[in-house]
Amino acid sequence: DSGVTQTPKHLITATGQRVTLRCSPRSGDLSVYWYQQSLDQGLQFLIQYYNGEERAKGNILERFSAQQFPDLHSELNLSSLELGDSALYFCASGGAGGITDTQYFGPGTRLTVL
Amino acid sequence: GNSVTQMEGPVTLSEEAFLTINCTYTATGYPSLFWYVQYPGEGLQLLLKATKADDKGSNKGFEATYRKETTSFHLEKGSVQVSDSAVYFCALTSGSARQLTFGSGTQLTVLP
């Protein structure tokens, strides 16, 4: 158990809909990272938050957004969903967000868009 | 930019065989290097890491040495077990980029 929790575990929805994925980092960790894992793209970084502020952005679509709240949990919002958004979405947490930090991954949310 | 190239899979071995999974990288600055493992239906777990040249990371019988001269971080284990069957990902962080850049993953199956 990494100490990172993600909800829900599975999500099935239709094209055009909007969903919210939730992540709670390990106690004491200030950084939250979101990654997408798909068969064709592999594991890709989406976005990072540190202590409530956006710190880095990767290949995140404009239809996707995220935020980190004062209690440090984070939410990833995916809107106008397309079939190609079906993937496993992972949240990871780290300490100060330095490059030597270990990132601890949650169990993931499997999103299926029908 | 940063990139990680991993040995193509899948890899199938018999129990107690020697394992090597090759990983090479391209990065700006001085990267930190990681191996993560993903068991079926689970998230990624850190297996080992190395943060500077010539460091050796080790855990659960797995080892990898940070080789700056060959930009490599190959994963090795002397005697694999059935329970080692999983997907292994090589990854790095470098420069101002705190996020992990992953290789494509190598599926390992160990047969009894």
Side-chain angles (χ1 to χ4, degrees):
Chain A
D1 184 354
S2 67
V4 179
T5 61
Q6 287 187 251
T7 56
K9 197 170 172 62
H10 300 280
L11 204 45
I12 301 175
T13 188
T15 54
Q17 295 299 305
R18 174 190 167 93
V19 297
T20 297
L21 283 52
R22 183 188 168 106
C23 167
S24 293
R26 293 188 325 150
S27 176
D29 282 352
L30 300 178
S31 279
V32 169
Y33 304 78
W34 286 97
Y35 295 87
Q36 179 194 59
Q37 185 178 32
S38 62
L39 283 175
D40 53 344
Q41 300 285 335
L43 268 160
Q44 286 201 96
F45 167 71
L46 295 177
I47 196 164
Q48 179 203 0
Y49 278 82
Y50 175 77
N51 203 21
E53 300 209 353
E54 182 185 305
R55 184 173 255 194
K57 244 179 178 175
N59 299 322
I60 187 165
L61 299 171
E62 285 193 14
R63 300 183 284 109
F64 295 2
S65 65
Q67 54 184 326
Q68 187 179 27
F69 294 86
D71 67 352
L72 300 177
H73 91 272
S74 178
E75 293 181 356
L76 179 67
N77 300 296
L78 315 176
S79 61
S80 303
L81 285 167
E82 302 175 0
L83 296 177
D85 298 327
S86 296
L88 202 46
Y89 291 85
F90 287 110
C91 161
S93 78
I99 65 165
T100 61
D101 276 3
T102 295
Q103 291 181 32
Y104 296 90
F105 282 75
T109 293
R110 182 170 294 283
L111 173 66
T112 303
V113 183
L114 300 174
Chain B
N2 299 332
S3 67
V4 176
T5 302
Q6 256 182 267
M7 176 173 149
E8 290 284 325
V11 173
T12 303
L13 296 173
S14 297
E15 206 163 24
E16 298 184 5
F18 184 84
L19 169 71
T20 299
I21 301 177
N22 290 337
C23 171
T24 56
Y25 66 88
T26 302
T28 53
Y30 300 96
S32 293
L33 302 173
F34 304 82
W35 277 100
Y36 279 85
V37 58
Q38 185 176 29
Y39 297 101
E42 297 185 15
L44 285 83
Q45 299 175 27
L46 177 71
L47 184 57
L48 51 87
K49 74 178 193 181
T51 59
K52 59 183 189 297
D54 300 325
D55 267 2
K56 179 187 279 189
S58 60
N59 185 26
K60 299 181 183 178
F62 290 90
E63 292 183 340
T65 300
Y66 187 141
R67 300 283 187 206
K68 190 166 181 288
E69 63 278 10
T70 54
T71 60
S72 65
F73 192 55
H74 305 321
L75 182 68
E76 296 183 337
K77 187 175 185 184
S79 175
V80 293
Q81 306 300 312
V82 172
S83 56
D84 294 326
S85 297
V87 181
Y88 292 81
F89 291 93
C90 185
L92 66 81
T93 56
S94 179
S96 60
R98 269 56 170 178
Q99 68 268 27
L100 287 159
T101 298
F102 287 93
S104 56
T106 302
Q107 170 80 56
L108 170 67
T109 302
V110 180
L111 302 176

